[in-house]
Amino acid sequence: MAERMRLELTQEWDKTFPKSERVNHRKVTFHNRYGITLAADLYEPKGAEEKLAAIAVCGPFGAVKEQSSGLYAQTMAERGFLTVAFDPSFTGESSGTPRYMASPDINTEDFQAAVDFLSVQDNVDPEKIGIIGICGWGGMALNAAALDTRIKATVVSTMYDMSRVNANGYFDENDNADDRYETRKALNDQRTIDYKNGSYELGGGVADPLPEDAPFFVKDYYDYYKTNRGYHARSLNSNGGWNKIGCMSFLNQPILCYSEEILSAVLVMHGEKAHSSYFSKDAFKKLQGDNKELLLIPDAVHTDLYDRMDVIPFDRLERFFEDNLK
């Protein structure tokens, strides 16, 4: 195996949510099959003695483990699961260069690497492992569940299909060959510029200052990533964003090709009023079997499922994982 990189991890609590006194927390690292070392927060119920069911959490797309995924992980640990929230390759405290790149293959592999790690922990039952993917990582979670038979249960929260949105634009408004050609041309022109400059130009995170005519979903993102509610110094969305060519490979590498072959349990949940709900509704249509469920949450918008403890149905998540990790 490739030599593992030693990461310098922040040890102080720097999350966007308060620390729970009901769980033990520590930093851990693990590596994927490309030799990239991933940084994660491990949350363990205090006083647990038996082997536990475990859950790996990642997302939203462009966020870090100190934000929404950490909140999910800590909350599920309070409910009896051993959990890890990890930074994906090329982002946050994880390794991988160049920075701020995304890949449908490598980022799906990141979920599988988390399963590798959980499978060999002394206090984890390797037959009881699930995953949670938030926002763009919802699509990656479904892709991982279709590929990895060790994943016994998957929750997809406020999902984006990153292949679809990169190829078609928001709401499929650019779903035609001519617009895709113009997108490809712009990205390839940017590749030439980046190669000439010897560096990758950032695409910019969430707009700041917020334009007066910004659509609601942009305001929704601003309210999370650019305010005390969710801002984090390592979050791409809070700051400079992905590289302009960072998501290029999603254009012609669909990630949900075999989702209808997922045999394990899947819970797809989305805010009823979220601009992005069409991703979950359409993804759910492909899923097969009576162990699949679509849960639409009344009046909720996209980022409500990032951190709103009064909106995220953690009781439902607990029951889902208890029922399917047994």
Side-chain angles (χ1 to χ4, degrees), residues 202-247:
L202 292 177
V206 175
D208 188 16
L210 189 67
E212 289 186 10
D213 60 348
F216 174 78
F217 73 90
V218 175
K219 296 178 181 178
D220 189 28
Y221 285 132
Y222 183 94
D223 287 343
Y224 182 77
Y225 287 108
K226 292 294 188 177
T227 69
N228 289 334
R229 174 185 168 197
Y231 177 85
H232 196 279
R234 289 190 294 273
S235 168
L236 281 70
N237 294 338
S238 290
N239 297 282
W242 298 91
N243 294 329
K244 285 188 173 180
I245 64 167
C247 299

Side-chain angles (χ1 to χ4, degrees), residues 13-159:
W13 186 265
D14 62 346
K15 322 299 185 196
T16 59
F17 52 91
K19 186 175 184 179
S20 172
E21 298 304 319
R22 296 163 53 192
V23 304
N24 295 319
H25 163 263
R26 60 187 169 94
K27 290 291 189 75
V28 297
T29 60
F30 51 90
H31 64 281
N32 67 22
R33 66 188 171 97
Y34 294 109
I36 297 171
T37 300
L38 303 177
D41 286 294
L42 185 147
Y43 299 90
E44 179 185 19
K46 285 187 176 178
E49 296 180 357
E50 72 281 1
K51 285 184 177 288
L52 300 171
I55 303 170
V57 192
C58 195
F61 199 78
V64 288
K65 64 188 180 303
E66 288 76 18
Q67 296 171 304
S68 180
S69 61
L71 176 65
Y72 272 69
Q74 179 176 261
T75 304
M76 296 309 294
E78 289 179 326
R79 292 164 179 261
F81 302 89
L82 185 143
T83 64
V84 289
F86 63 90
D87 286 332
S89 297
F90 313 112
T91 63
E93 292 186 304
S94 290
S95 70
T97 56
R99 305 301 289 166
Y100 312 141
M101 289 291 183
S103 161
D105 178 21
I106 295 175
N107 293 149
T108 299
E109 162 65 19
D110 290 342
F111 259 127
Q112 293 194 267
V115 176
D116 293 341
F117 171 79
L118 292 172
S119 296
V120 300
Q121 299 309 300
D122 291 339
N123 56 347
V124 168
D125 184 337
E127 296 301 318
K128 299 179 179 180
I129 295 176
I131 61 175
I132 299 174
I134 307 164
C135 185
W137 286 87
M140 243 74 78
L142 285 179
N143 201 32
L147 185 61
D148 198 325
T149 56
R150 299 170 300 173
I151 297 171
K152 299 302 193 295
T154 300
V155 168
V156 173
S157 178
T158 196
M159 172 196 156

Side-chain angles (χ1 to χ4, degrees), residues 147-215:
L147 185 61
D148 198 325
T149 56
R150 299 170 300 173
I151 297 171
K152 299 302 193 295
T154 300
V155 168
V156 173
S157 178
T158 196
M159 172 196 156
Y160 261 57
D161 177 345
M162 295 308 299
S163 294
R164 181 174 177 179
V165 74
N166 276 285
N168 299 349
Y170 281 98
F171 314 112
D172 298 324
E173 289 180 351
N174 306 110
D175 184 14
N176 61 81
D178 289 342
D179 282 348
R180 271 188 288 277
Y181 177 83
E182 292 303 321
T183 299
R184 295 184 187 110
K185 185 175 185 305
L187 288 168
N188 284 294
D189 288 346
Q190 185 64 46
R191 288 182 69 113
T192 304
I193 294 169
D194 289 346
Y195 198 85
K196 180 179 180 181
N197 292 337
S199 61
Y200 292 95
E201 188 174 334
L202 292 177
V206 175
D208 188 16
L210 189 67
E212 289 186 10
D213 60 348

